[in-house]
Amino acid sequence: MTTLDELLRLHGRLTTVHVERWVARGLLRPSGTAEAWSFEQIDVARARLLAELIDEMGFDDESVETVVDLVDQVNTLRRQLDLLGHAIAEQPAATREAIAAALARLGQR
């Protein structure tokens, strides 16, 4: 867990105002109270992304929310595909081969 002070030190250009705004918009989800927030690694990484989008790329708040939503969707899809791949790998060889053949047929459309 990372405190607010540690988060601000990690990302030198961040201010408390940035973080408070992102928490209010639901872009960061710390645990604890506003006086003693604790951030998971996902929030630390997300704060880095938010800072880059705003400071380096010039995105406005609305665009940042859209980008973060899209990133979340991509990550969810990656997890789902990983689970599907593991589920397929656990199937008998004949089933795996049938799935591969069906994918090849569908890919030719």
Side-chain angles (χ1 to χ4, degrees):
M1 299 293 275
T2 302
T3 67
L4 176 59
D5 288 338
E6 291 168 337
L7 182 68
L8 295 176
R9 275 194 302 276
L10 283 170
H11 306 296
R13 291 177 286 180
L14 283 186
T15 66
T16 303
V17 173
H18 286 112
V19 176
E20 287 173 345
R21 187 174 65 222
W22 295 336
V23 169
R25 291 176 152 249
L27 296 170
L28 298 177
R29 296 180 188 97
S31 57
T33 63
E35 295 79 31
W37 279 332
S38 293
F39 296 89
E40 298 282 342
Q41 281 305 111
I42 189 72
D43 283 316
V44 173
R46 186 176 287 231
R48 182 179 309 113
L49 172 63
L50 292 167
E52 288 175 10
L53 290 171
I54 290 170
D55 294 338
E56 295 174 21
M57 300 178 135
F59 282 76
D60 61 27
D61 284 346
E62 189 173 310
S63 298
V64 166
E65 285 188 42
T66 300
V67 170
V68 169
D69 183 50
L70 291 171
V71 168
D72 287 345
Q73 289 179 39
V74 167
N75 287 331
T76 297
L77 289 171
R78 283 182 178 164
R79 283 191 301 275
Q80 290 172 338
L81 284 172
D82 187 53
L83 287 172
L84 182 59
H86 287 294
I88 290 170
E90 292 179 2
Q91 300 308 307
T95 303
R96 291 192 314 270
E97 290 167 10
I99 291 170
L103 287 172
R105 273 193 320 277
L106 292 170
Q108 292 176 358
R109 289 186 181 177

